[in-house]
Amino acid sequence: MSGSYTYKFDVTMTCGGCSGAVDRVLKRLKENESNILSYTVLLEDKTANVTVDDESPALYEKILRTIKKTGKGVNSCVELDSNGNKIRDVDVVLKDE
């Protein structure tokens, strides 16, 4: 594994309550998931950025599922390398949806 990766989620957030809900669930997830290095939730950009040191599909799905549990829509996701360069678009539909 070389470096870290950031998932940049475009999340439907319209107020501080929305961003607070996403922040709370990501905080809890980070506390329990050692491969999550950091996260930021930006209401003004309507994004949730999660930096990980494990590019596994299972970890990505866990993060996506966690954000979706808030009831907020996840419109898109982009995977970025450690320099902030786009690697690829990532599917935001879970297998069981």
Side-chain angles (χ1 to χ4, degrees):
M1 175 83 203
S2 60
S4 61
Y5 301 87
T6 298
Y7 294 113
K8 183 175 184 177
F9 295 92
D10 175 0
V11 183
T12 302
M13 298 183 286
T14 57
C15 66
C18 295
S19 61
V22 174
D23 185 76
R24 280 189 298 279
V25 296
L26 289 176
K27 179 180 180 183
R28 239 175 290 146
L29 184 61
K30 182 181 181 305
E31 290 170 354
N32 296 307
E33 192 62 59
S34 63
N35 291 328
I36 296 177
L37 303 175
S38 65
Y39 73 92
T40 57
V41 178
L42 302 169
L43 174 59
E44 53 279 354
D45 296 336
K46 298 182 182 348
T47 59
N49 303 313
V50 182
T51 302
V52 300
D53 67 359
D54 178 359
E55 196 183 14
S56 78
L59 179 58
Y60 170 76
E61 186 172 316
K62 184 181 259 187
I63 296 166
L64 177 60
R65 192 173 298 280
T66 297
I67 294 171
K68 285 188 169 197
K69 280 184 183 177
T70 65
K72 309 302 165 215
V74 178
N75 305 307
S76 63
C77 181
V78 175
E79 183 178 1
L80 308 171
D81 66 18
S82 59
N83 295 316
N85 299 311
K86 180 179 174 179
I87 297 172
R88 64 188 173 111
D89 293 317
V90 188
D91 192 6
V92 294
V93 177
L94 294 166
K95 293 177 182 125
D96 56 3
E97 287 184 318

